[in-house]
Amino acid sequence: LRAGMNVVRPYEESLSKALLTRLQAIPEVIIYGQDDPTDVSQRVPTVAVNLKGKHPEQVAQGLADREIYVWSGNYYALEVTQRLGVEDSGGMVRIGAAQYNTLEEIEKLGAALEEIARA
């Protein structure tokens, strides 16, 4: 198991870097947590975000309409969403990449978020 995770880690780090970089390029995106794409060694390629002016459920549905599947809400992390001040506004959108995702899919996600932000 450890050997397998060590093989996957560099690819997941590349996904984290690409995901954070792409999300930061969208002015309407608010990223929660560590958002430095040059320092991803201590994180996984899962990011919690919101789009300014959009309800998290609306964003998740807009992505689902484009066959991009994410989660919205508080993911049972009520204390976290309360401390971040997003619980009463629907929580956050949770975007998770894994070893079977591609850099092209991250670009597709970014383009979809830009479309949703403009709508």
Side-chain angles (χ1 to χ4, degrees), residues 3-16:
M5 293 304 292
N6 286 334
V7 169
V8 170
R9 180 179 308 276
Y11 185 66
E12 285 192 346
E13 286 181 0
S14 74
L15 291 175
S16 288

Side-chain angles (χ1 to χ4, degrees), residues 27-99:
E28 296 85 359
V29 170
I30 302 164
I31 301 172
Y32 298 93
Q34 193 283 97
D35 65 350
D36 182 355
T38 66
D39 183 23
V40 295
S41 64
Q42 300 300 312
R43 64 164 300 129
V44 296
T46 299
V47 181
V49 302
N50 272 322
L51 267 182
K52 294 175 187 170
K54 306 290 183 186
H55 192 280
E57 191 172 306
Q58 176 188 13
V59 175
Q61 184 60 58
L63 291 171
D65 292 345
R66 294 164 175 83
E67 298 184 353
I68 301 170
Y69 302 102
V70 298
W71 302 265
S72 65
N74 64 24
Y75 348 107
Y76 306 103
L78 184 59
E79 182 70 24
V80 172
T81 56
Q82 287 175 334
R83 283 187 176 207
L84 290 172
V86 297
E87 180 60 32
D88 292 338
S89 58
M92 299 174 283
V93 176
R94 182 176 154 196
I95 302 166
Q99 67 272 9

